[in-house]
Amino acid sequence: MKLARCAHEGVVWWGAVDGEVVTLLAPDSQISIGSWTAPSLKAAVLHPAGTALLEDVALLAPVSAPSKIICVGLNYRDHAIESGMSIPEIPMIFAKFPSSLVGPGAAIVLPEDSNEIDWEVELAVVIGSPARHVSESDALDFVLGYTVAVDVSARDLQISDGQFVRAKSYDTFCPVGPWLVTADELGDARGLGIGLTVNQETLQDSRTSELVFGVKEIIAFCSRVATLNPGDLILTGTPNGTGFGFKPPRYLNPGDEVTAWVEGIGELTNPVAVR
Ligand code: ZN
């Protein structure tokens, strides 16, 4: 199921997207993301609150206010090579502030502090139930679904700061959407096409089979560090084709349009604006 959050006639809804129609399941204010399970989704679809045309709703980020956004660095073989780094032996995790989250169509706002704002398309895991010290074999039981994210990154600050928090956490630096696809449709999300265009020019084009650490390994690893809560996002890393890998490097400019996509999920498009 394509599970979306969307605004329709002044109300934020959970909706199931099928083609051009959105089945309105329940108001977002009445259902927390941790309430969605395979049985509760099935029941909600059988007794919907209404329907709307996809073109008549405003899609929002499919999670709101996650307790954390965890990212995995250098997790595609081709991107590690592009970065001149060795392939990690354990997942290299870092965080983005949850306040960096925005939805489909929202502007990526370029901060004044950086001249090198880069793109990273990522497969994002949406956690469905609390996970702590889970095994790799159980890890997928804690996944509600998958969505598309862009890990917007200020490369100059990432280097000058010596760590990633500021460079990755400006407001609007985590576009996510257009919806999540429930885990029953994608399994561990291996072998999916993944890519990104800027102004319709293909810059990233790879497959999730290039992941160094897969979804199960990442969840098991992260759940040893912290409890993963419903609605938490894990961005699983980016393939090659980021701007700093070009010679000369290429970065985002005001007026650009970024479209990130993952096969089986959909396309996430965000304009680029200046503050
Ligand atoms: Zn990233």
Side-chain angles (χ1 to χ4, degrees):
M1 177 191 294
K2 290 174 177 159
L3 182 62
R5 288 175 65 248
C6 59
H8 179 61
E9 295 177 348
V11 177
V12 176
W13 292 88
W14 287 103
V17 180
D18 187 4
E20 297 304 310
V21 176
V22 184
T23 301
L24 302 173
L25 303 178
D28 179 61
S29 60
Q30 293 179 14
I31 295 264
S32 68
I33 194 165
S35 304
W36 289 129
T37 59
S40 70
L41 284 168
K42 201 177 221 178
V45 168
L46 287 175
H47 302 284
T51 59
L53 292 176
L54 185 57
E55 65 184 19
D56 291 337
V57 306
L59 291 169
L60 306 172
V63 304
S64 63
S67 73
K68 50 196 163 299
I69 301 173
I70 300 174
C71 302
V72 187
L74 300 174
N75 198 32
Y76 279 74
R77 290 176 185 84
D78 50 9
H79 178 62
I81 292 165
E82 163 186 77
S83 304
M85 308 290 276
S86 50
I87 292 169
E89 293 181 1
I90 61 168
M92 194 279 275
I93 64 171
F94 60 93
K96 293 170 91 78
F97 291 152
S99 47
S100 62
L101 187 74
V102 290
I108 297 166
V109 180
L110 304 180
E112 294 165 345
D113 304 338
S114 169
N115 295 310
E116 299 183 357
I117 305 299
D118 204 347
W119 53 82
E120 297 188 351
V121 62
E122 312 221 358
L123 169 75
V125 179
V126 181
I127 297 297
S129 54
R132 178 69 169 148
H133 292 300
V134 303
S135 66
E136 290 180 16
S137 56
D138 290 340
L140 293 186
D141 295 345
F142 299 86
V143 177
L144 176 61
Y146 299 95
T147 186
V148 184
V150 184
D151 178 14
V152 182
S153 306
R155 293 293 177 215
D156 41 3
L157 306 184
Q158 190 176 344
I159 293 165
S160 64
D161 283 4
Q163 48 100 325
F164 293 2
V165 174
R166 181 167 69 124
K168 300 279 191 172
S169 289
Y170 281 84
D171 282 3
T172 75
F173 270 25
C174 192
V176 172
W179 39 63
L180 67 86
V181 172
T182 49
D184 58 314
E185 295 191 13
L186 294 178
D188 67 355
R190 275 278 185 187
L192 304 176
I194 180 169
L196 177 140
T197 67
V198 176
N199 304 329
Q200 300 184 359
E201 178 189 359
T202 294
L203 299 172
Q204 295 190 274
D205 188 2
S206 187
R207 301 195 73 78
T208 58
S209 47
E210 285 284 312
L211 282 167
V212 177
F213 299 101
V215 170
K216 296 175 188 177
E217 294 159 290
I218 293 168
I219 289 173
F221 182 86
C222 292
S223 79
R224 288 204 293 276
V225 179
T227 304
L228 305 177
N229 294 311
D232 281 358
L233 287 167
I234 304 176
L235 277 53
T236 57
T238 198
N240 69 349
T242 57
F244 81 98
F246 284 83
K247 292 187 178 43
R250 297 174 59 171
Y251 297 109
L252 294 175
N253 294 296
D256 285 348
E257 184 179 77
V258 178
T259 297
W261 57 270
V262 175
E263 181 184 0
I265 302 175
E267 286 188 358
L268 168 69
T269 295
N270 296 85
V272 177
V274 70
R275 193 178 77 87

